[in-house]
């Protein structure tokens, strides 16, 4: 048992969870020094350069002829819009609270898939979605000094665009690995973020370590080791690991920033995570077990690639 826990694939999965969870407090630190625009641009740029450097060694293939429209949508939503909106949101909301709200992104992706990809909208999905949105409302209520906090709902915007990314990346993942899709989207997202250069130029000259950390570790390395782990582990194990990101983010935020979440926020976060578990378990029980290999890729890697990458 201990040998399994210390195996490279499990260590990669644990590393991914910790890296993605640590991104939330790192954003709080980076915003104070750089501001929203500079931090968004630098993180995307650093991550894109790092992923492109790894691409030849990871045998990342070029996109297919019909892929650019979906890659454009993934880059604009899951990368550019997500980074800007999350960074802006964390100006108003604590890092731990942001991680709890972002956790409901899969709810939006499932609803979009039901609307646009002809995926069946079942009772479990509807109930899970309502439960998830209820959890988000509870977290928002906890953030208000005298009741409901509109500022906390700002974080639902990046959760929504992250849901769009999951939905838009699904057709790409039928032919490409998760690492390849992440690389395409990161590069596209960096291009879309270039208009931020004038606003970010002066701040970028004095870039703190937080920007380099976010770009190289949670964004670039996180995707690399995530792809390694999910290609070698059962689908249920990989999915379960995603639920650990919010609680780990709360712990890291407490240690790093001394943020202490309110009890009602923890209750709301637990409700949101429970809704995602409810939806994902339903989808696993109704998804085919045989996933054919595509373009020479291993079936396990293709099956794992259908998992939405958690927010980072």
């Amino acid at each position: 048992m201990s040998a399994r826990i210390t195996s490279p694939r499990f260590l990669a999965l644990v590393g991914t969870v910790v890296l993605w969870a640590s991104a939330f407090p790192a954003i709080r630190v980076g915003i104070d020094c750089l501001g929203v625009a500079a931090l968004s641009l630098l993180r995307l740029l650093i991550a894109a350069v790092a992923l492109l450097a790894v691409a030849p060694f990871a045998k990342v293939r070029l996109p297919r002829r019909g892929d650019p429209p979906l890659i454009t949508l993934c880059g604009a939503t899951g990368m550019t819009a997500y980074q800007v909106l999350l960074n802006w949101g964390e100006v108003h909301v604590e890092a731990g609270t942001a991680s709890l709200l972002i956790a409901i992104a899969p709810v939006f992706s499932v609803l979009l898939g039901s609307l646009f990809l002809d995926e069946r909208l079942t009772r479990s999905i509807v109930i899970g979605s309502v439960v998830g949105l209820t959890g988000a409302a509870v977290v928002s209520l906890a953030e208000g000094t005298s009741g409901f906090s509109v500022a906390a709902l700002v974080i639902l915007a990046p959760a929504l665009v992250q849901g769009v990314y999951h939905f838009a990346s699904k057709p790409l993942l039928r032919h490409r690995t998760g690492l390849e899709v992440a690389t395409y989207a990161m590069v596209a997202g960096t291009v879309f973020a270039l208009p931020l250069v004038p606003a970010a130029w002066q701040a970028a000259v004095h870039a703190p370590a937080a920007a380099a950390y976010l770009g190289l570790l949670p964004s670039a390395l996180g995707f690399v080791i995530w792809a390694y782990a999910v290609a070698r582990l059962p689908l249920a194990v990989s999915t379960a690991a995603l639920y650990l990101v919010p609680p780990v983010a709360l712990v890291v935020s407490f240690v790093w920033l001394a943020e202490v979440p309110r009890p009602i926020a923890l209750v709301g976060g637990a409700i949101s995570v429970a809704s995602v578990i409810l939806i994902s378990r339903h989808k696993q029980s109704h998804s085919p077990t045989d996933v054919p290999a595509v373009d020479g890729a291993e079936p396990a890697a293709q099956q794992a690639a259908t998992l939405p990458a958690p927010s980072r």
Side-chain angles (χ1 to χ4, degrees):
M1 182 66 179
S2 60
R4 288 186 179 181
I5 295 176
T6 57
S7 66
R9 54 189 178 180
F10 274 100
L11 291 176
L13 196 60
V14 171
T16 303
V17 171
V18 173
L19 287 176
W20 275 331
S22 68
F24 292 96
I27 287 172
R28 292 280 290 187
V29 174
I31 287 174
D32 290 340
C33 302
L34 287 171
V36 173
L39 182 62
S40 302
L41 176 62
L42 282 176
R43 182 178 178 183
L44 287 168
L45 180 61
I46 292 171
V49 170
L51 287 174
L52 287 174
V54 171
F57 304 98
K59 297 181 180 179
V60 172
R61 297 162 292 179
L62 292 174
R64 301 188 314 157
R65 181 175 298 179
D67 290 343
L70 285 174
I71 291 174
T72 299
L73 180 58
C74 287
T77 57
M79 299 302 170
T80 310
Y82 174 81
Q83 295 295 339
V84 173
L85 290 170
L86 178 58
N87 293 344
W88 180 47
E90 286 208 36
V91 172
H92 308 284
V93 177
E94 291 186 344
T97 302
S99 71
L100 294 174
L101 290 169
I102 289 293
I104 72 163
V107 173
F108 292 121
S109 66
V110 168
L111 292 176
L112 289 169
S114 300
L115 290 172
F116 298 104
L117 295 180
D118 296 325
E119 294 188 356
R120 186 181 173 190
L121 189 62
T122 65
R123 180 182 298 178
S124 296
I125 291 177
V126 173
I127 294 175
S129 300
V130 172
V131 170
L133 294 175
T134 300
V138 172
V139 175
S140 301
L141 183 66
E143 279 296 295
T145 55
S146 60
F148 191 77
S149 170
V150 177
L153 288 183
V154 171
I155 300 294
L156 290 184
L160 175 59
V161 295
Q162 187 75 343
V164 174
Y165 172 83
H166 294 163
F167 147 75
S169 65
K170 188 168 183 178
L172 294 172
L173 290 168
R174 293 171 184 158
H175 307 281
R176 291 292 183 261
T177 67
L179 179 58
E180 288 174 331
V181 173
T183 302
Y184 305 154
M186 194 71 73
V187 172
T190 302
V191 172
F192 282 115
L194 290 179
L196 298 176
V197 169
W201 182 255
Q202 286 187 336
V205 174
H206 306 287
Y213 175 84
L214 285 166
L216 290 174
L217 297 181
S219 294
L221 179 60
F223 271 114
V224 172
I225 62 177
W226 166 255
Y228 175 87
V230 297
R232 292 164 176 81
L233 288 170
L235 188 64
V237 174
S238 302
T239 304
L242 306 187
Y243 310 139
L244 296 175
V245 173
V248 173
L250 289 171
V251 173
V252 176
S253 298
F254 173 75
V255 174
W256 192 349
L257 304 177
E259 291 183 356
V260 180
R262 299 181 183 182
I264 190 172
L266 296 178
V267 172
I271 294 173
S272 297
V273 173
S275 72
V276 176
I277 294 175
L278 176 64
I279 291 174
S280 63
R281 282 186 175 178
H282 169 81
K283 288 178 73 62
Q284 287 180 32
S285 64
H286 288 75
S287 60
T289 56
D290 297 325
V291 181
V294 181
D295 293 339
E298 296 179 4
Q302 290 298 322
Q303 183 177 358
T306 62
L307 286 170
S311 309
R312 64 260 172 237

